[in-house]
Amino acid sequence: MFALDEELAQWDSALPEVQGSERLALGMALAWHLRQRDPARAQRLSAEITPLLDTLHSAEAALHRARLLLTAAEPEWLRGELDTAQYHAEQALALCDQATAAAPAAVAACRADACWILAWVSNDRGASAEGDRWLRQAAAAARAAADPVRIDVVDAASGICDAFGDWQTAQQRWNGRFGTDLIGAHPIAAGWISDFFGTCAFQRSEYGRAIGHLMLSFETALATGQIRRAIIVATNIGNGFTSLNAHEAALDWMQRGLDLARPTGWPLSIGMCLMQTAETLRQLGQRDAAQSLLREALNTLSPLSGSRAYAVALEYQGDLALDLGNHAAALDSFTRLAARGDALCQNDFQSSARRGQAHALSHLSRADEALAAAQAALALARDHGDASGQIAALNVLADIHTRHQLPGPELMMAPNPVLHYLQLALEIAATIEGYTVPGSLLDAAAREYAATGDYQRAYNIALRANAARDQTHSKEATNRAIAMQVQYQTERAQTEGEHHRQLAAAEAQRAEVLQQTSATLEHLSAIGQEITAHLDAEAVFRALDRHVHGLLDATHFSIFLLDPGGETLTCTFGIEAGNPLPPFQVPLDTSSANSARCVLERREILIELDEEGMTPNLIPGTLPTLTLLFAPLRVGERVLGAMTVQSLLANSYGERERLIFRTLCAYGAIALDNASAYRQVAATQEQLLEKNLELEQAYKALEEVSLTDQLTGLRNRRFFLQNVDVDVAMSLRGYDTSLHRELTECDLQAPNDLVFFMVDLDHFKEVNDRYGHAAGDSILVQMQERLREVFRESDYVIRWGGEEFLVLARATHRDEAAGVAERMRRAVAERDFVLPDGMSLSKTCSIGFACFPFLPDKPRLLSWSQVVELADQGLYIAKRSGRNAWAALYSTAATRAEGVFPRLMQQLDQAVADGEVRLVSNLTGPLVLGGERRRIGLSSDLELG
């Protein structure tokens, strides 16, 4: 059924040394096992073997002819020629019936392989029930052949197909058939059994375990010539990594699949690679690139619209339409997916289709339908143990309840339905080994916790969301995705030109075999290299003209090319007696035109007249030539046009001259087609460069958005955490200078301090409660304007969360901090805020600040995060002491370094009494130092109750 690469190498090396029946047997084996590795060579071997079959007994000959039909049928199936593949496989079965007198085991094995091909043809049509029937017949034939490897492979394939329908039933049916310990199993069987285990693990959302099984299957498929299986398994491994949100590893495996698929031209293999890569690009936010690849994938897969791969592409198309906000298109894609899922009887599509329909219906304001569809999707996913499907359905249910006022679920375990479903989704996500919870799911949970007033949990989940986004949307993965897109589109445009160059080399090799000792042939080879090196049509015309006149008697030479519509020939180049001919056109249906006949009949035409003869169909204004030779310009099965050479002498073109002209035509066709392909490649590359620039700009814009608070336009916490360490390092460098040399006056004046200000609007919750969130948002926007008025452009002004702001005054003097705090307090207190309805509202703020380093003579004693905690301590002193105030903690000469941070946080009143810390404030009355203070989540050196 399949063979290892080492076995093929041995057969290949032995083939030239054997003759007769041995050569027949060895050639049959090589042709069969090259059917996916090298289909062209397999067909050449089949053609060589066919005449030898006449020497065999009729039954034995029938068996060999059946095997040769299967050698042709499998590449036809892979190329998507399903009807032809089915016809040849059925013919092979009929020949097996005629070969019953031959070896029974060999006949049964051949019958098993024919049923195997018919099963996959049926599956690619979407006729899964028929495919299962053929697999059962293949299993029966394999058992009749007593072939344990074929038996294991067919049974494992049946298990894989069953797992797509219902993995729980498949496990019950097949787990007892296969042992988990594959040591000692034949590598080919072990590969398919591993594929079965991996598919079941994938269906139950155990992606890490699935990937482990599939990697063994991939290596085995490669080593045994199962190229299509290797491509499918590589994309499934990539899909597994995508499901774990490990996009860098996913793209690596997608690339492996694409590298294997590109040279084959097999539509299902290429389409699968394209759609899986598109899905990963979508999850990375590269939607335009994903849309382009997915459109091409669907076009490639359109002849196989009944296949599982096409259904997967429909699901990805629907998800992309949802991302793009095209909800009507998304609903159409998921409705089509539901129909395909029902036809294929595969549960994962049934759940995904209803989940997608629910999402689209919700955005189309069809709330009741959306809720019913989402609940159906969740029920299907639960019934079949699909953890990923449950997470997706729960996420959609949360979104539906966010958008619409609907009854909550029974036994609700959270303050509201949205949080109920999000909590369930997070609980299920925690059960998937190696799974990275998407940042979008965590963001939704954080928003809901904040809405219920649980700010601490909201903050913690928001931090997890940021970490998840950093992990899944790494710059490396994004760059890899862009590179894959550019590489694929460029290589696709260049593939045809490269193929034509290979044809040129093959034509040169054929001529060399025919005329090994001919100096003319060497000349032709050099000419061919020169002609095919040109990528400009005019240069090709000139080179052909020069060599035609150098090698042949050519009074007249012209080149005709088909127009894009294929209805007219145009003389694009013509020379007669040294003079150029004007361009003219010949309709292709002109039966009297030799150029048109040559193209239509795809053959060489030679017209020879004696000296008394009349040139037939003489073109007005041209000379009456006696010998006319026309040859088609062909590239593979395509005809580009025709070339003609004509002489005033009779009988000018014998076999040698015709061979020369035929060879020049072959080189000319390849060169002209390359020139056309090059123009397309150049245009494509220019578009790709523009697209790449757009993608880079989009990435920079996304990066900027991720560092900016969307309401106020201020930088956010993520920006602060990315940049603060650099400023801390610069500050410490300035203080370190005093340890190495005597300070100058300039050193003493250098602003080496950092001051952290915590600014909080007083009684802000009352604004939201009384005037609404729009009023609160308006005040926050005006607040950022006042912050910018007070602080320098070089300072970091951060929206820390809610109504709280953090400002890092960079490269400053600590003695100036109190004045800055007072200006900030007055900027808020002395000027009313204007609400959206025009109403004025007076507000105040409280400010706490602390300086870094806290102890100038021990600059590394406290970290910057601990200094922020001290600024927060100052903020709460100002709050507890009456608000509309600022307060700060300064070190003194009496400050003891050991244990200073815990003392200031837990025993501040004692530290003040001992003179270890100096409190500075605009308040003249006593400051309130006690009371609860919430943690801001930066320092890990102290745990407070």
Side-chain angles (χ1 to χ4, degrees), residues 243-510:
S243 298
L244 291 172
N245 291 314
H247 298 308
E248 181 75 5
L251 289 169
D252 179 59
W253 280 96
M254 301 303 182
Q255 183 70 61
R256 295 192 200 189
L258 273 172
D259 289 344
L260 288 171
R262 282 194 195 104
T264 67
W266 300 338
L268 188 134
S269 300
I270 293 173
M272 282 187 62
C273 293
L274 290 175
M275 72 180 183
Q276 294 290 7
T277 304
E279 174 61 6
T280 304
L281 288 170
R282 181 189 73 82
Q283 295 199 25
L284 283 169
Q286 305 294 323
R287 293 172 183 167
D288 289 344
Q291 191 172 36
S292 175
L293 285 184
L294 194 54
R295 188 181 297 116
E296 185 175 352
L298 284 163
N299 184 57
T300 303
L301 291 168
S302 58
L304 304 168
S305 58
S307 64
R308 175 178 171 84
Y310 192 84
V312 174
L314 285 176
E315 180 179 355
Y316 293 166
Q317 183 185 53
D319 284 328
L320 181 58
L322 289 175
D323 287 355
L324 294 172
N326 192 348
H327 301 108
L331 182 60
D332 176 68
S333 293
F334 285 115
T335 301
R336 291 165 61 195
L337 176 63
R340 290 306 313 141
D342 292 340
L344 291 168
C345 300
Q346 294 180 351
N347 297 319
D348 50 349
F349 293 141
Q350 294 167 340
S351 174
S352 297
R354 285 153 182 79
R355 179 268 304 168
Q357 287 174 320
H359 196 157
L361 289 166
S362 174
H363 284 263
L364 293 171
S365 301
R366 294 161 64 177
D368 292 334
E369 294 171 76
L371 182 61
Q375 289 171 341
L378 180 60
L380 282 167
R382 281 175 172 165
D383 288 345
H384 297 96
D386 180 0
S388 293
Q390 292 178 60
I391 293 171
L394 289 166
N395 208 358
V396 171
L397 280 166
D399 183 71
I400 291 170
H401 281 277
T402 300
R403 293 178 172 278
H404 310 285
Q405 291 294 326
L406 294 168
E410 297 180 5
L411 303 175
M412 190 163 66
M413 298 177 292
N416 59 54
V418 177
L419 203 50
H420 170 81
Y421 289 120
L422 291 174
Q423 285 178 345
L424 288 177
L426 290 172
E427 289 171 6
I428 294 171
T431 67
I432 303 176
E433 184 178 353
Y435 180 77
T436 300
V437 181
S440 58
L441 176 58
L442 292 167
D443 278 337
R447 283 194 301 271
E448 285 304 312
Y449 278 116
T452 62
D454 191 345
Y455 298 109
Q456 184 63 48
R457 185 175 293 184
Y459 171 72
N460 292 335
I461 294 177
L463 290 180
R464 287 177 60 196
N466 285 335
R469 267 190 297 273
D470 288 341
Q471 180 177 346
T472 59
H473 290 63
S474 68
K475 187 173 183 179
E476 290 78 13
T478 302
N479 290 343
R480 176 71 175 276
I482 294 171
M484 282 183 66
Q485 181 207 8
V486 172
Q487 178 187 357
Y488 174 74
Q489 294 186 358
T490 303
E491 289 182 359
R492 183 188 63 186
Q494 292 173 334
T495 297
E496 193 170 359
E498 180 60 25
H499 176 62
H500 298 159
R501 291 185 184 278
Q502 292 172 3
L503 288 177
E507 183 66 22
Q509 185 177 9
R510 185 179 73 86

